[in-house]
Amino acid sequence: MKRRHRLSRSRDFDAVYRHGRSTATRYLVLYAFPRQEVDDLGPRLGLAVSRQLGGAVERNRIKRRLRAAFEELETGLPAGNDYVLIARPGLGEAIDARGFGWLQERVAEVFQKERAAA
């Protein structure tokens, strides 16, 4: 995933948290917010993985896997939206036990749930 497709500024995260809609599943929470400015960046993703999920190595591993799962869905998402995906406790162990395919299904599930609520 290219850097321009990531949320990195605190103010971008704040805008998504304050004005976006949230959708939750057992292991993931998704906030979605349509951007005001029109550009051709496509959907942008921000990740929040707390220290409850492990040390820095484990958190970064989870983030890499979440980005890879998002890349599979990116083409079907609206271009002008920002998303923040929050990992809940237990996600790391579940990925290790069930594999990357399972994670892709969970990420797709939370995005489908968000589209249905919109």
Side-chain angles (χ1 to χ4, degrees):
M1 176 194 284
K2 295 181 181 178
R3 287 204 177 268
R4 66 182 180 185
H5 292 257
R6 295 185 192 173
L7 289 180
S8 57
R9 295 183 182 149
S10 179
R11 66 184 168 129
D12 293 336
F13 274 85
D14 287 343
V16 175
Y17 285 136
R18 288 183 184 173
H19 305 293
R21 294 183 314 271
S22 69
T23 304
T25 61
R26 165 67 179 92
Y27 292 105
L28 297 168
V29 177
L30 177 68
Y31 282 84
F33 177 66
R35 283 196 302 273
Q36 300 299 325
E37 68 272 359
V38 176
D39 53 23
D40 52 346
L41 283 179
R44 298 189 303 173
L45 177 70
L47 297 171
V49 181
S50 76
R51 291 184 186 161
Q52 292 178 347
L53 274 79
V57 173
E58 182 62 24
R59 291 194 313 268
N60 287 330
R61 182 179 297 128
I62 291 169
K63 287 184 210 176
R64 282 193 305 271
R65 291 175 176 175
L66 287 171
R67 279 189 210 107
F70 177 76
E71 285 177 0
E72 300 292 324
L73 299 170
E74 189 174 9
T75 56
L77 297 174
N81 282 3
D82 287 342
Y83 299 99
V84 174
L85 197 56
I86 302 170
R88 286 185 162 175
L91 180 64
E93 293 85 12
I95 295 170
D96 292 341
R98 298 176 182 145
F100 182 69
W102 176 85
L103 177 64
Q104 288 177 311
E105 292 172 4
R106 298 295 70 81
V107 173
E109 174 188 8
V110 76
F111 274 94
Q112 288 172 354
K113 195 173 177 182
E114 185 274 329
R115 275 186 248 151

